Amino acid sequence: MEVLKRGLLLLMVFMVFQRGEGQLFENFYRGTCPNLEMIVKQVVSTKFTQTFVTIPATLRLFFHDCFVEGCDASVMIASPNGDAEKDAQDNLSLAGDGFDTVIKAKQAVEVQCPGIVSCADILALAARDVVVLAGGPSWEVELGRRDGLVSQASKVAGNLPDPEFNLVQLNTIFAKNNLTQFDMIALSGAHTLGFSHCNRFSNRLYSFSSSSVVDPSLDPNYAQQLMQACPQNVDPSIAINIDPETPRTFDNVYYQNLVSGKGLFTSDEVLFSDPASQPTVSDFASNPGNFNGAFITAMRKLGRVGVKTGNEGEIRMDCTKFKDA
C-alpha cells in the first residue's frame, strides 16, 4: 500500500511538472471571457485589411517576445527613457503594425472583459490568427500567461538568433528555450512571410570572403536580383521580401527556396547546406503537411517559454505600461 501511495505521489508530482512548463490551458478564459478569441480575431482581421504588414509583424513580435524573458509581453513595454526591451538594437526593426495589432486587440478585449486577459495571451492568439489569415494552419492556443514585470533593453543581446548564425549557434540559442533542431527548422518557416532590411544580408552580396565577394551558395540569378534591390549604400529603410516567390502566403515554399539557393540569410541557407539539417528541409520542401504539423507543435512549445503565472506577473490594463506605472 505504501509503495502504491508513493507511486501515486510521484505521478502527481510528475503531472504538476508536466503542467508546470507554463501551467497553461486551452479555453483558460472560458468562464471569464468566453468571446476572447472571437474579439481578437476580429481586430486582427480588421488590421490586416489595412495593411499586410500586420501578418509578419505580429508573428515576429511573438517570437522576439518569447525569446527574451519568456512569452510575457515584455517587448510591448514603452519606456520614456528608451531602455525597454523594444528599444534594444535587435528589436528596433520590429514593425509598428505588430505592436498596434496587440494594443488594439487588448483595448477591444478590455471593453468586454476588463482586467482579465493578459497582453501576453493576446499576442499569442494574434500570432496564431495572422498565420491563418496568410493561408497557414490553425491550432488551439494554450492560455493563462501573465504579463511580465521586467522589460530591459540590456537583456536582449545574445538571446535572439543572428542572420549569420551557423547550425550549431542556431541550435544552441533554441535549446536555451527548450526547442529542438526540428522545432527550429519548423519555426524558421515563418520566413515564408515578412521582409528584411538590406543591411541584414548585404555581406553575402558584397563582402562575403577573401576568395569570393558574393556568397557562392546563393543562386546567381537570385544574387543579381538582391543586388538590384539592395545596391551598395542603399537607403537603410529599404526592405525586401524574405521569400521571393510567395511572400504573402504561409506555405512551404521557403524550404523549396533553400533547396534552390534562395535563402536570404546565412542562417536560412545553412539549414539546407548543413548535412545535419538538410533532410528535414528536404522533407518540408516536399511535404507541406509535415511542415504545417511541425510548425504547430513548435509554436505551441514556443508559447510555453518562460511563462509567468500567479505573482510572477500581472494583468496589464495597457500593454505598453506596467500596471503600477
Side-chain angles (χ1 to χ4, degrees):
M1 188 67 186
E2 187 62 34
V3 173
L4 182 61
K5 279 184 181 176
R6 194 175 300 161
L8 282 170
L9 181 62
L10 284 171
L11 179 62
M12 287 170 68
V13 169
F14 176 73
M15 288 173 69
V16 166
F17 274 104
Q18 284 288 92
R19 288 298 268 290
E21 191 172 7
Q23 293 138 344
L24 303 179
F25 312 84
E26 295 169 15
N27 302 312
F28 181 86
Y29 297 103
R30 178 183 287 163
T32 54
C33 193
N35 296 325
L36 170 63
E37 296 202 26
M38 186 181 72
I39 299 167
V40 174
K41 183 184 288 187
Q42 182 58 57
V43 172
V44 173
S45 298
T46 299
K47 178 73 181 173
F48 169 60
T49 63
Q50 296 164 359
T51 172
F52 176 82
V53 177
T54 301
I55 288 178
T58 305
L59 191 53
R60 187 164 178 245
L61 187 64
F62 180 62
F63 181 85
H64 278 235
D65 182 47
C66 292
F67 262 48
V68 181
E69 293 288 312
C71 307
D72 64 353
S74 51
V75 75
M76 296 293 301
I77 292 293
S79 166
N81 305 318
D83 59 359
E85 209 172 286
K86 67 183 291 190
D87 301 308
Q89 187 64 38
D90 285 344
N91 282 335
L92 294 179
S93 62
L94 290 170
D97 290 300
F99 293 97
D100 191 51
T101 299
V102 177
I103 290 166
K104 283 186 163 63
K106 172 65 169 175
Q107 290 168 345
V109 169
E110 283 297 300
V111 171
Q112 288 200 28
C113 317
I116 299 293
V117 183
S118 67
C119 300
D121 278 344
I122 288 172
L123 175 53
L125 288 168
R128 185 269 314 272
D129 291 344
V130 295
V131 169
V132 174
L133 281 171
S138 185
W139 62 93
E140 291 298 319
V141 177
E142 296 172 325
L143 300 167
R145 301 165 189 81
R146 291 176 79 82
D147 295 322
L149 305 172
V150 174
S151 180
Q152 296 173 3
S154 60
K155 292 183 177 284
V156 175
N159 286 312
L160 291 167
D162 186 272
E164 296 183 20
F165 272 6
N166 61 32
L167 188 65
V168 171
Q169 291 169 311
L170 287 168
N171 282 338
T172 300
I173 206 163
F174 276 75
K176 280 169 57 178
N177 296 291
N178 296 322
L179 295 162
T180 66
Q181 176 177 291
F182 191 72
D183 298 325
M184 179 271 291
I185 298 170
L187 290 170
S188 296
H191 282 176
T192 186
L193 304 164
F195 50 86
S196 169
H197 293 97
C198 299
N199 67 339
R200 301 293 279 177
F201 57 86
S202 59
N203 66 304
R204 299 187 73 197
L205 305 175
Y206 302 111
S207 58
F208 184 67
S209 71
S210 56
S211 59
S212 178
V213 175
V214 180
D215 186 340
S217 67
L218 279 170
D219 173 80
N221 291 329
Y222 182 50
Q224 284 298 319
Q225 289 173 27
L226 293 177
M227 288 176 176
Q228 289 170 7
C230 294
Q232 285 180 291
N233 303 315
V234 69
D235 180 338
S237 67
I238 297 296
I240 69 160
N241 294 319
I242 300 176
D243 176 351
E245 305 298 331
T246 58
R248 293 186 168 223
T249 305
F250 188 95
D251 55 25
N252 67 327
V253 172
Y254 163 79
Y255 300 100
Q256 296 170 12
N257 292 338
L258 300 189
V259 174
S260 304
K262 296 178 182 177
L264 186 62
F265 305 128
T266 298
S267 58
D268 292 320
E269 175 272 324
V270 73
L271 300 182
F272 183 69
S273 64
D274 194 306
S277 48
Q278 187 178 99
T280 303
V281 171
S282 298
D283 176 44
F284 289 170
S286 303
N287 300 290
N290 290 357
F291 162 52
N292 284 345
F295 184 79
I296 289 170
T297 298
M299 284 293 283
R300 283 170 64 91
K301 286 177 69 174
L302 175 62
R304 298 172 192 144
V305 172
V307 163
K308 316 290 188 297
T309 56
N311 295 332
E312 300 167 337
E314 63 183 11
I315 305 295
R316 289 181 213 143
M317 303 299 110
D318 176 343
C319 291
T320 67
K321 299 175 184 172
F322 293 120
K323 199 171 179 181
D324 59 358

